[in-house]
């Protein structure tokens, strides 16, 4: 499953990193099938990095992406993991219906947290934001 976490860029910004966190490690990651990336609000993939070597360890991750300048707007940090034991990321818990709460008054194409696609071993070149489904609220940042 591709998990999406929206980040808002308020002013033109140069970025070269994606920050994310694993609260539980993954075991036996599938080779070349674990990625972190960045998508535009239109669903165009801007970056994709193989992070399979990072899946077995918990903690804060800093993944280098190609330097790029982002215009103001919404972007999605994307995650896809494939492993014998999937890693876990920190997220909201203890709130009944939390996937609805974090996306209140938003449409699928503007969800803050979503999933988009399943059964994938890489981040697709494009996603259709209208097909977003409310998902867990995974933490991420860009810088």
């Amino acid at each position: 499953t591709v998990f999406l976490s929206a980040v808002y860029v308020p002013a033109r910004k140069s970025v070269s990193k994606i920050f994310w966190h694993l609260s539980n490690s993954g075991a036996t990651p599938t080779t070349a099938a674990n990625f972190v990336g960045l998508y535009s609000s239109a669903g165009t993939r801007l970056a994709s990095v193989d992070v399979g070597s990072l899946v077995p360890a918990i903690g804060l991750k800093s993944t280098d992406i190609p330097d790029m300048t982002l215009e103001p707007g919404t972007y999605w940090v994307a995650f896809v993991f494939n492993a014998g034991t999937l890693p876990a990321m920190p997220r909201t818990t203890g709130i009944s219906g939390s996937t609805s709460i974090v996306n209140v008054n938003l449409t699928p194409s503007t969800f803050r947290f979503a999933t988009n696609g399943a059964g994938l071993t890489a981040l697709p070149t494009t996603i259709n934001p209208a097909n977003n489904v409310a998902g867990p609220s995974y933490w991420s940042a860009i810088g």
Side-chain angles (χ1 to χ4, degrees):
T1 299
V2 174
F3 295 94
L4 302 172
S5 174
V7 290
Y8 302 99
V9 177
R12 190 171 194 190
K13 176 76 176 160
S14 177
V15 299
S16 60
K17 294 190 181 295
I18 296 175
F19 299 94
W20 50 291
H21 191 278
L22 290 180
S23 54
N24 289 313
S25 60
T28 320
T30 305
T31 302
N34 295 276
F35 292 88
V36 171
L38 187 66
Y39 284 88
S40 71
S41 62
T44 302
R45 189 182 70 204
L46 304 174
S48 179
V49 179
D50 185 339
V51 295
S53 65
L54 301 176
V55 169
I58 63 171
L60 179 65
K61 313 296 181 187
S62 173
T63 302
D64 291 331
I65 60 173
D67 290 340
M68 64 184 75
T69 300
L70 301 179
E71 297 299 326
T74 302
Y75 297 83
W76 281 293
V77 173
F79 310 93
V80 65
F81 298 114
N82 291 279
T85 301
L86 292 173
M89 299 177 70
R91 61 188 170 116
T92 56
T93 58
I95 302 172
S96 179
S98 63
T99 58
S100 299
I101 292 169
V102 296
N103 290 310
V104 69
N105 288 333
L106 299 175
T107 63
S109 61
T110 60
F111 278 166
R112 172 74 172 93
F113 301 102
T115 62
N116 192 312
L120 300 170
T121 57
L123 294 174
T125 304
T126 61
I127 59 171
N128 181 350
N131 293 336
N132 285 350
V133 174
S137 56
Y138 292 136
W139 179 86
S140 66
I142 55 176

